[in-house]
Amino acid sequence: MKLKINKRVISAILAGSIVILSGCGIVKNKTNVEPLASPMIVNADTLNEPTKTQPQITSTPEPVYVQKLLYGYDYEDMDCPGITISSVNFRQGPSTDYDIIETLDNGMKINLLAKTSNNWYMIKYNGEIGFLSGDYVKEIDYSKLQEQMANLPDLVKAVVATTGVNVRTESNTECDIITTLHAGDKLEMLGYENGWYQVKINDGIGYISGDYVNETYILAGDYTKLVYMNGDVNLVAEPFGEDITTLPSLEVGYVYGETDDYYLIESNGFVGYVLKSCVGSLHDIYVVVDISDQVLKLYNGTELILTSDIVSGKNETPSDYGIFNIYYMQRDAVLEGPGYSCPVDYWMPYNGGEGLHDASWRYSFGGDIYEYSGSHGCINCPNDTARIIYENAYVGTQVLVKK
């Protein structure tokens, strides 16, 4: 086997000049790096003698082990930024036969020092030299990334509703209502005059009283899909860049554009990028239940079919958070449990005994009702809401219940 040993890489390792990428994802200066705590002594003769046998693995690799390891495999010299695309084990050598040093999280920015012929990357992390499987690492091509980002939408001025507010055909309360926004809903702002905002809605123009909205920014154009966070996910200012905030598990993101590795999203009042490998997709017909706002939304792709107030589980029997699927649908069911028996017109269970259904015994929905008079875990809906969901949903429809 032809061995390719690059002394420049070995020298860089010994000098401690190859480091994990900084938060911005780009190595700007490799000279200001502290040396290793104990200096490495290299035998020049050793660099010219190939090792024919597999080196002995120890729990704490010594400098000579690093040299022997490089002799044992064909590899390609690199100095390239990369990122983990899944949680991945950081190992002492380039195969699963080697011990695990630790596990790196999905989305970690790293600097790739070399790539072996069996598709393992050598990196230096927390002062240790080790390897990651190439199946869970992606090299970053910044030139291609810049080309993709050039085609993404820009930010535009918008208004965000602070409470329920009507969008009207003209700038007065005597004219017709086009639709009603819920708190947190946003529309692109076209102008402002005499206390009223002119906004873009449904390819037309509407007006909203300035007493019930705040100014903000949104991404231009229409969103192309909805995604949800698989665990807590970092929202970054640019691909492989610095963190803006952490989006909580199951938070919804509205996708306005994408690169090979990232979605450009609006979520929870923020605009930024999330790794595609950190999110799941919502598709076809799906329901999003927001427990904090006590609001349910029914979508068909990107089309919002319905927005409705609901009542979820009370504090003693809270509704479970998660991504579920409706597993059967029934008309005229009777829901029974300890101390209750409730007939309903529409029953759509998605999580054991939890499901979507109408609640004819309730006279109001939304607000803080769930805190003192909530359900046993089901999502109680007005009858018309349950009917519309039943008429549009099917067995397998996704139901996202988020905090």
Side-chain angles (χ1 to χ4, degrees):
M1 176 176 64
K2 183 179 180 180
L3 300 175
K4 297 180 287 184
I5 305 302
N6 189 300
K7 294 183 180 180
R8 185 177 65 82
V9 173
I10 295 177
S11 299
I13 295 171
L14 300 181
S17 63
I18 299 180
V19 297
I20 194 81
L21 278 179
S22 63
C24 66
I26 304 173
V27 177
K28 296 182 177 179
N29 188 338
K30 296 184 181 178
T31 59
N32 298 325
V33 180
E34 294 182 2
L36 298 177
S38 57
M40 296 182 175
I41 301 174
V42 182
N43 186 329
D45 293 335
T46 305
L47 294 178
N48 298 315
E49 296 176 3
T51 302
K52 296 181 180 179
T53 59
Q54 184 72 11
Q56 181 67 34
I57 305 303
T58 60
S59 58
T60 304
E62 296 296 328
V64 67
Y65 160 67
V66 175
Q67 300 165 30
K68 289 182 178 180
L69 189 57
L70 290 174
Y71 275 119
Y73 292 88
D74 284 345
Y75 75 95
E76 176 187 358
D77 177 21
M78 302 179 71
D79 185 3
C80 171
I83 191 165
T84 58
I85 56 175
S86 173
S87 59
V88 55
N89 291 325
F90 179 47
R91 295 182 179 271
Q92 293 181 352
S95 82
T96 55
D97 294 333
Y98 289 85
D99 290 341
I100 297 170
I101 302 172
E102 62 180 288
T103 300
L104 304 190
D105 292 334
N106 185 12
M108 290 191 64
K109 295 177 284 289
I110 50 180
N111 199 36
L112 308 175
L113 308 182
K115 184 177 182 180
T116 65
S117 56
N118 61 337
N119 194 34
W120 284 72
Y121 288 99
M122 183 176 70
I123 70 167
K124 184 176 184 181
Y125 180 68
N126 281 346
E128 293 197 67
I129 300 297
F131 293 81
L132 305 176
S133 169
D135 293 338
Y136 308 105
V137 174
K138 184 178 179 68
E139 298 175 24
I140 301 173
D141 183 341
Y142 278 108
S143 297
K144 182 178 180 182
L145 176 62
Q146 292 300 322
E147 292 177 3
Q148 293 175 341
M149 290 180 64
N151 297 319
L152 297 178
D154 296 322
L155 287 172
V156 296
K157 281 190 174 182
V159 293
V160 55
T162 57
T163 186
V165 57
N166 293 322
V167 183
R168 297 182 178 271
T169 55
E170 298 179 21
S171 56
N172 64 75
T173 57
E174 304 299 322
C175 63
D176 292 339
I177 296 171
I178 300 174
T179 189
T180 300
L181 302 183
H182 285 74
D185 289 345
K186 302 180 182 71
L187 289 173
E188 183 178 344
M189 183 178 78
L190 301 177
Y192 177 80
E193 187 175 359
N194 298 327
W196 287 78
Y197 284 98
Q198 186 184 64
V199 295
K200 181 180 178 181
I201 182 168
N202 298 332
D203 296 324
I205 293 175
Y207 295 85
I208 304 178
S209 170
D211 295 335
Y212 307 105
V213 297
N214 289 327
E215 293 188 12
T216 185
Y217 286 88
I218 62 173
L219 291 161
D222 299 322
Y223 60 88
T224 59
K225 69 169 72 174
L226 270 71
V227 296
Y228 61 90
M229 307 301 125
N230 276 323
D232 294 343
V233 175
N234 291 330
L235 183 76
V236 295
E238 61 182 5
F240 312 108
E242 296 182 355
D243 296 345
I244 298 173
T245 188
T246 300
L247 298 175
S249 179
L250 300 174
E251 186 59 71
V252 171
Y254 296 82
V255 176
Y256 285 81
E258 59 186 286
T259 68
D260 285 348
D261 303 295
Y262 280 85
Y263 286 125
L264 173 61
I265 69 167
E266 188 279 326
S267 179
N268 208 20
F270 295 93
V271 173
Y273 295 84
V274 292
L275 274 171
K276 290 180 177 179
S277 58
C278 293
V279 302
S281 293
L282 296 166
H283 50 80
D284 300 328
I285 304 291
Y286 52 92
V287 177
V288 176
V289 179
D290 189 317
I291 298 298
S292 297
D293 291 342
Q294 290 291 283
V295 168
L296 173 152
K297 293 184 178 182
L298 173 66
Y299 292 88
N300 181 359
T302 59
E303 178 190 359
L304 178 60
I305 299 173
L306 169 73
T307 300
S308 174
D309 293 331
I310 52 95
V311 176
S312 64
K314 56 182 177 285
N315 293 334
E316 294 79 10
T317 55
S319 303
D320 290 340
Y321 302 132
I323 179 74
F324 310 102
N325 298 91
I326 293 175
Y327 60 88
Y328 78 89
M329 303 172 66
Q330 182 180 346
R331 284 296 313 271
D332 302 323
V334 178
L335 309 182
E336 296 182 340
Y340 70 91
S341 178
C342 302
V344 298
D345 293 338
Y346 306 96
W347 171 230
M348 295 160 281
Y350 58 79
N351 177 35
E354 294 183 356
L356 306 163
H357 64 78
D358 53 297
S360 58
W361 56 91
R362 294 191 182 278
Y363 297 99
S364 59
F365 297 82
D368 61 355
I369 295 173
Y370 75 105
E371 294 181 351
Y372 58 86
S373 183
S375 73
H376 292 84
C378 287
I379 305 302
N380 290 185
C381 308
N383 188 273
D384 282 347
T385 296
R387 175 182 58 79
I388 294 171
I389 297 173
Y390 193 91
E391 291 173 350
N392 285 274
Y394 52 87
V395 172
T397 291
Q398 291 174 296
V399 179
L400 176 71
V401 184
K402 71 185 192 74
K403 188 172 181 179

